[in-house]
Amino acid sequence: MKCDRLPELPHSAEAQDAIIGALMSDGPATQWIGALDASAFYDSFNAAAFRSIQVLSNSGRPIDPIATYEQMRYANPAIDIGAMKTLHELANWRVTEKQFRNYVRIVIDHQRLRELNHVGTEIAALGLARDDPDKQIDAAQMMLAKLAIKKGKREPEHIHVSLESYLGLLADMSQGKNPAMRTGLGGLDRILNGGVRRGEMMVIGARPKHGKTALALAMARFMARENTVLFLSQEMGISQLMHRHTAAMGNFDLAAILRADPADQAMWEAVAQAACRLGELHLVHDDHPALNLRDVRRKAIKVKREHGLGIMFVDFLQLMAGAGEESRNRELDVIANGIKSLAMELDIAVVVLSQMSREADKIYGRPAMTHLRDSGAIEAAADQVALLFTDWAHPMSKRQAAMQGFSELDVVAHRNGPQGLVPLRFVGRYQQFSDWTDPKPTRSGKAAGDFE
């Protein structure tokens, strides 16, 4: 017989019964269960019945009360004959597909509430433990984070269903509802077919001093007008980031802002204007050094839960801490793939900055994919890889006047679109990046290996 139902935790006995009954009709209900599994059932009898029905379904055998009972007895010989009567009673349920899917949602919702109750008990125990409070709070946040963003099972989808969704997406795009999020750089947006997309990871590589952080901050500011942006900095503190934001938004010399001369009236006016503009952005900063994947996940989930999250920047990949893999190359492989998985799980776009090797300084010209440190792992995980080259920042630069402020972002890998060059203007003292609108400059006295 069924065990007594305990009223102390959230559940719906009727929804559970309806699901089991519908499944035993040997109809199409087995195709509607979605992410439901036996652990979602509060009633142990229904959980056992569900497991038995899954075994029958997976083996292609008919599903009815007798077959379910025999499979339950096979799994647990202690099941008594009274279970047969209960199964026959449940088989009287008749539900539509819409009703069935709603009952599944109810059962899963109650399961999550029970999990929340369990986590609450564990958090209460953490509060009583004599341990480092920061460590205990971090553990509590992770428990809640796992509940807030619970990874659902993905089910195979027939092309008829996919086609309906796809045509709806195209219709939205034709009306200007492009799911891509613009970066603020017209040339890059054109190559990316409108901008970066949720679930995708873009890697921007460069040597030091070429402006990769300035570029990422410029993109973050533009995108934070309409989307919440999380910028994870491992190299600069938040105050340093704010100096750069202020110079860019105030169109003022960064060096003058860093001096903060009380008599510099123009500087203070620029700071005031920048502050007004920055205050309108949906931008969240974090300056935690040596992040690991667990840190990144926890911070992203926290921001998504509190503010919503569209785009996350990570500055930069090689500064992240590994997890004890046998080599640094293997650690970066795990990190890169972990960040990509997080982008898909949280449905956010991710832009990861990456350091390039010193080999890129030995050739006066645009870098190549091989100059990325551990490029194999990065190329495999990324949806797009773009390499930044600023002429005047290269140690072999001829510093020609025509090339001053000229940068190029070379999209060298693009999973769903074209590759190409994006000419950019970089004004270092203002920390500003924008599209290069003048004729593309050329260099005199080009040597072998120089770019066009």
Side-chain angles (χ1 to χ4, degrees):
M1 297 294 291
K2 281 193 174 186
C3 62
D4 292 338
R5 302 183 190 276
L6 301 176
E8 69 273 17
L9 293 177
H11 69 281
S12 170
E14 294 74 18
Q16 294 177 86
D17 287 352
I19 289 171
I20 298 301
L23 289 171
M24 285 192 296
S25 70
D26 200 25
T30 53
Q31 303 170 25
W32 306 335
I33 61 175
L36 184 68
D37 61 33
S39 66
F41 288 87
Y42 182 68
D43 183 279
S44 60
F45 181 91
N46 282 335
F50 184 83
R51 281 191 291 268
S52 295
I53 289 170
Q54 282 186 307
V55 171
L56 294 173
S57 177
N58 293 338
S59 62
R61 287 180 281 167
I63 304 171
D64 55 44
I66 295 175
T68 302
Y69 171 71
E70 289 299 327
Q71 181 60 40
M72 290 176 70
R73 268 209 325 168
Y74 179 80
N76 180 11
I79 293 288
D80 63 45
I81 192 63
M84 175 71 78
K85 179 182 178 182
T86 302
L87 291 170
H88 275 290
E89 291 173 352
L90 293 179
N92 291 323
W93 279 94
R94 292 293 181 269
V95 301
T96 65
E97 177 181 354
K98 187 174 182 180
Q99 289 172 324
F100 187 92
R101 292 187 185 278
N102 184 49
Y103 297 152
V104 168
R105 180 191 60 78
I106 290 171
V107 169
I108 292 176
D109 284 351
H110 282 126
Q111 177 194 25
R112 297 196 70 201
L113 289 173
R114 295 195 301 273
E115 289 173 344
L116 178 60
N117 181 280
H118 177 70
V119 167
T121 302
E122 291 190 340
I123 290 176
L126 288 175
L128 297 175
R130 296 181 179 275
D131 205 340
D132 179 12
D134 290 336
K135 179 181 176 182
Q136 299 296 76
I137 291 171
D138 183 62
Q141 287 178 334
M142 281 301 297
M143 291 180 191
L144 289 171
K146 289 177 181 178
L147 287 182
I149 308 294
K150 187 172 182 179
K151 192 172 183 179
K153 293 182 179 177
R154 294 184 179 271
E155 299 295 325
E157 183 176 274
H158 195 281
I159 193 169
H160 293 161
V161 178
S162 305
L163 186 60
E164 182 179 354
S165 301
Y166 174 66
L167 292 176
L169 171 63
L170 284 182
D172 287 344
M173 291 173 65
S174 70
Q175 298 172 16
K177 301 175 184 177
N178 196 318
M181 294 173 281
R182 293 183 299 141
T183 66
L185 302 171
L188 179 59
D189 288 339
R190 281 190 292 274
I191 291 177
L192 298 182
N193 301 314
V196 299
R197 286 170 168 76
R198 294 176 183 270
E200 295 188 355
M201 180 176 79
M202 181 180 186
V203 173
I204 298 178
R207 286 292 294 151
K209 312 302 182 186
H210 282 249
K212 65 179 180 296
T213 299
L215 175 63
L217 290 174
M219 293 169 60
R221 286 191 299 272
F222 182 88
M223 300 175 84
R225 297 176 184 180
E226 298 180 355
N227 303 277
T228 299
V229 176
L230 171 60
F231 197 99
L232 300 177
S233 174
Q234 301 175 89
E235 193 174 29
M236 298 182 188
I238 291 177
S239 61
Q240 291 176 283
L241 299 178
M242 290 305 299
H243 286 318
R244 291 176 172 230
H245 283 316
T246 302
M249 295 295 272
N251 293 306
F252 212 82
D253 194 323
L254 175 61
I257 293 174
L258 290 171
R259 286 194 296 270
D261 185 348
D264 191 342
Q265 187 64 30
M267 186 274 293
W268 290 110
E269 290 177 0
V271 168
Q273 292 177 2
C276 289
R277 295 170 183 164
L278 289 168
E280 297 174 352
L281 303 181
H282 308 289
L283 183 56
V284 181
H285 294 116
D286 185 274
D287 58 0
H288 188 144
L291 290 166
N292 57 38
L293 272 176
R294 182 169 174 268
D295 295 326
V296 172
R297 177 185 174 83
R298 175 173 57 82
K299 293 173 188 292
I301 290 175
K302 183 176 187 295
V303 173
K304 186 176 179 71
R305 184 175 67 244
E306 295 177 356
H307 307 287
L309 183 59
I311 309 100
M312 177 175 69
F313 288 79
V314 180
D315 185 12
F316 57 88
L317 180 65
Q318 284 76 15
L319 290 178
M320 289 188 64
E325 300 292 337
E326 64 270 16
S327 67
R328 184 56 177 165
N329 182 70
R330 174 58 184 159
E331 284 185 335
L332 289 177
D333 186 8
V334 171
I335 292 170
N337 282 283
I339 294 176
K340 166 63 180 178
S341 296
L342 186 63
M344 296 181 65
E345 179 180 344
L346 300 188
D347 193 31
I348 61 173
V350 177
V351 178
V352 178
L353 305 189
S354 180
Q355 188 74 273
M356 291 198 298
S357 70
R358 290 187 176 90
E359 294 299 312
D361 290 339
K362 297 178 181 180
I363 300 175
Y364 185 22
R366 288 192 301 268
M369 176 81 78
T370 54
H371 293 138
L372 275 176
R373 291 182 177 174
D374 304 294
S375 60
I378 294 171
E379 184 178 5
D383 293 279
Q384 303 93 23
V385 178
L387 307 180
L388 181 64
F389 178 82
T390 299
D391 185 276
W392 275 40
H394 197 283
M396 297 169 63
S397 173
K398 300 176 178 64
R399 296 278 179 133
Q400 297 173 14
M403 303 300 293
Q404 185 173 8
F406 182 69
S407 292
E408 283 187 305
L409 189 64
D410 189 3
V411 180
V412 296
H414 190 184
R415 185 166 292 163
N416 298 308
Q419 301 175 12
L421 289 170
V422 181
L424 299 172
R425 185 182 303 278
F426 177 38
V427 183
R429 63 179 185 146
Y430 295 161
Q431 292 295 292
Q432 291 176 336
F433 264 97
S434 59
D435 287 295
W436 183 274
T437 56
D438 297 329
K440 184 177 176 181
T442 56
R443 298 181 298 167
S444 60
K446 288 188 285 187
D450 282 0
F451 61 84
E452 294 297 327

